[in-house]
Amino acid sequence: RGEAIGSHNCDHSEDAGVRCPPCVDGNVVFIRGTGKSGVPMLCNEGSFGTICDNGWDENDAKVICRMLGYPTEGVVAFQGSTQFNIGYGDIFVENLGCTGDEERLTDCPG
């Protein structure tokens, strides 16, 4: 069992690290944000790509938040790169057409 949070005998030369296995298809992560917000990146065939903002709205954003374990009330959907800069990699999907009730993006009709 570890020490209480904030109690340690370390400096940053001892920071832990991790490398996770390749992403699982359909999973989502945020980049260029602050934990619970950012550019959503969707995993497809072992690599991450972006979601085009064509048709992007709060219902699509609700599904992302739900997938990542966040509440869906008060979600805000941003379009374009104005809020978080741009993503990278392939653009995998657009016009998701989510209703906001789906558990995963792959459940959206678009």
Side-chain angles (χ1 to χ4, degrees):
R1 183 182 131 152
E3 300 288 328
I5 292 178
S7 174
H8 61 83
N9 184 22
C10 295
D11 62 41
H12 287 297
S13 68
E14 301 172 89
D15 287 346
V18 67
R19 178 179 297 163
C20 295
C23 63
V24 175
D25 283 0
N27 282 2
V28 173
V29 297
F30 283 134
I31 63 163
R32 309 214 196 300
T34 56
K36 61 183 180 180
S37 62
V39 175
M41 300 287 287
L42 175 66
C43 178
N44 183 56
E45 297 182 359
S47 64
F48 283 103
T50 59
I51 300 166
C52 180
D53 69 1
N54 292 348
W56 180 253
D57 64 16
E58 276 74 18
N59 289 329
D60 303 318
K62 282 181 182 180
V63 178
I64 297 280
C65 290
R66 182 176 295 112
M67 288 177 67
L68 295 173
Y70 295 110
T72 59
E73 291 299 315
V75 69
V76 177
F78 296 99
Q79 292 188 339
S81 60
T82 57
Q83 183 69 24
F84 299 108
N85 209 333
I86 58 174
Y88 58 85
D90 293 329
I91 299 172
F92 287 144
V93 292
E94 67 176 335
N95 297 314
L96 290 167
C98 300
T99 65
D101 296 321
E102 296 87 354
E103 292 296 318
R104 303 182 56 78
L105 287 179
T106 53
D107 298 331
C108 296

